[in-house]
């Protein structure tokens, strides 16, 4: 099997981002969603969020993931949870799914890259693009990196190779400018952020120790080193925000 840093790391994580599953559940509990409502989980990772949406709230979930190794992990967990058929896994990029699907009652997008299409990378533009695929009164649970302080130039360049980021107030302002009502907004603690990075690193280095001759080991080691530097230099500068946004139209 082809392996990657994230395939290994996501197997060790509860949620594939620096946020607790309980925090996600608490945010969804603030909505008016009822069993059977249609949800899309973009970049579903290990499917833990999709599974919780189906189990706890009775939602009908479409989960999209572009990485074939990761979607295999997600599929195993969905089947083990007995939710095959209630959580529909789709392999591919989220813009492809959004282009052919009906409006959603809920979109979950946690730590996603260009969720509405190539080149759409600014906070307001990404949020506007997702709002266009929500039903009237629908919800977006958005989570992403937050700058806690102005980052050094090289760190910003490294981190923003895919998406652009802002601070906590900036995300709320972007949501407001995109036409959303901000219902809740919270930052993960530093301890939660540290645990996220430490868990990934520990899982990946343990795998490297056990699989030194695997053909993907050099690339995984290189990615692990890159991310370790990012977490080390970004401590106190980088965080994770979770935002529950309502489409009023």
């Amino acid at each position: 099997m082809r392996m990657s840093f994230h395939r290994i790391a996501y197997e060790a994580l509860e949620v594939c981002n620096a946020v607790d599953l309980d925090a996600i559940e608490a945010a969804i509990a603030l909505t008016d969603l009822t069993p059977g409502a249609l949800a899309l989980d973009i970049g579903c990772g290990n499917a833990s969020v999709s599974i919780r949406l189906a189990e706890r709230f009775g939602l009908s979930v479409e989960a999209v993931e572009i990485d074939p190794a990761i979607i295999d992990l997600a599929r195993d967990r969905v089947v083990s949870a007995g939710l095959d058929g209630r959580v529909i896994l789709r392999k591919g990029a989220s813009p492809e799914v959004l282009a052919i699907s009906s409006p959603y009652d809920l979109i979950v997008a946690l730590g996603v890259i260009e969720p509405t299409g190539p080149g759409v990378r600014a906070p307001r533009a990404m949020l506007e693009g997702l709002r266009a695929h929500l039903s009237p009164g629908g919800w977006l649970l958005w989570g992403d990196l937050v700058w806690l302080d102005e980052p050094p130039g090289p760190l910003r360049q490294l981190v923003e190779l895919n998406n652009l980021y802002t601070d906590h107030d900036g995300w709320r302002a972007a949501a407001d400018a995109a036409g959303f009502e901000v219902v809740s907004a919270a930052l993960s603690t530093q301890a939660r952020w540290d645990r996220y990075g430490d868990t990934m690193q520990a899982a990946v280095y343990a795998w490297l120790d056990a699989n030194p001759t695997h053909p993907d080991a050099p690339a995984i080691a290189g990615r692990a080193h890159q991310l370790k530097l990012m977490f080390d230099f970004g401590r106190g500068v980088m965080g994770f925000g979770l935002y529950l946004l309502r489409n009023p139209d």
Side-chain angles (χ1 to χ4, degrees):
M1 175 190 295
R2 183 181 178 276
M3 296 298 290
S4 67
F5 177 95
H6 287 99
R7 170 61 178 81
I8 300 162
Y10 287 177
E11 193 161 8
L13 291 169
E14 179 185 54
V15 180
C16 302
N17 290 279
V19 62
D20 292 318
L21 201 53
D22 287 348
I24 293 170
E25 182 173 325
I28 300 300
L30 297 175
T31 72
D32 55 2
L33 294 167
T34 57
L38 183 59
L40 176 67
D41 184 5
I42 297 177
C44 68
N46 62 21
S48 62
V49 175
S50 294
I51 290 169
R52 183 61 63 92
L53 293 176
E55 286 184 333
R56 171 66 176 82
F57 299 97
L59 304 187
S60 176
V61 183
E62 295 179 13
V64 59
E65 175 58 57
I66 196 169
D67 188 313
I70 294 174
I71 203 169
D72 285 345
L73 170 63
R75 184 174 294 108
D76 289 345
R77 293 195 171 184
V78 168
V79 171
S80 294
L83 294 170
D84 195 18
R86 291 176 57 192
V87 176
I88 305 300
L89 291 168
R90 302 191 184 281
K91 179 182 175 297
S94 57
E96 300 167 359
V97 175
L98 290 167
I100 63 173
S101 300
S102 300
Y104 291 94
D105 301 306
L106 168 69
I107 295 176
V108 176
L110 306 177
V112 295
I113 295 173
E114 296 183 338
T116 60
V120 183
R121 306 171 63 228
R124 176 178 174 176
M126 291 189 290
L127 297 178
E128 283 178 335
L130 291 173
R131 181 172 173 245
H133 295 279
L134 286 171
S135 59
W139 300 85
L140 172 63
L141 185 62
W142 176 266
D144 219 332
L145 184 145
V146 172
W147 293 121
L148 303 177
D149 200 352
E150 182 61 29
L155 179 63
R156 182 185 285 276
Q157 287 181 329
L158 173 64
V159 172
E160 294 190 339
L161 288 173
N162 295 304
N163 281 352
L164 304 179
Y165 301 102
T166 183
D167 59 16
H168 195 40
D169 288 339
W171 279 118
R172 286 178 287 191
D176 184 70
F180 280 107
E181 173 192 353
V182 181
V183 175
S184 68
L187 288 174
S188 293
T189 64
Q190 182 66 53
R192 183 65 188 85
W193 176 263
D194 291 342
R195 187 164 72 251
Y196 168 62
D198 292 345
T199 300
M200 289 196 296
Q201 294 290 328
V204 169
Y205 282 115
W207 184 91
L208 288 168
D209 287 343
N211 299 273
T213 62
H214 192 285
D216 294 323
I220 293 169
R223 182 62 172 156
H225 177 68
Q226 181 188 50
L227 289 180
K228 185 177 186 306
L229 290 175
M230 184 188 76
F231 276 98
D232 288 348
F233 285 105
R235 195 174 193 282
V237 176
M238 299 163 59
F240 192 86
L242 186 68
Y243 308 92
L244 178 65
L245 312 175
R246 182 178 178 274
N247 176 23
D249 297 334

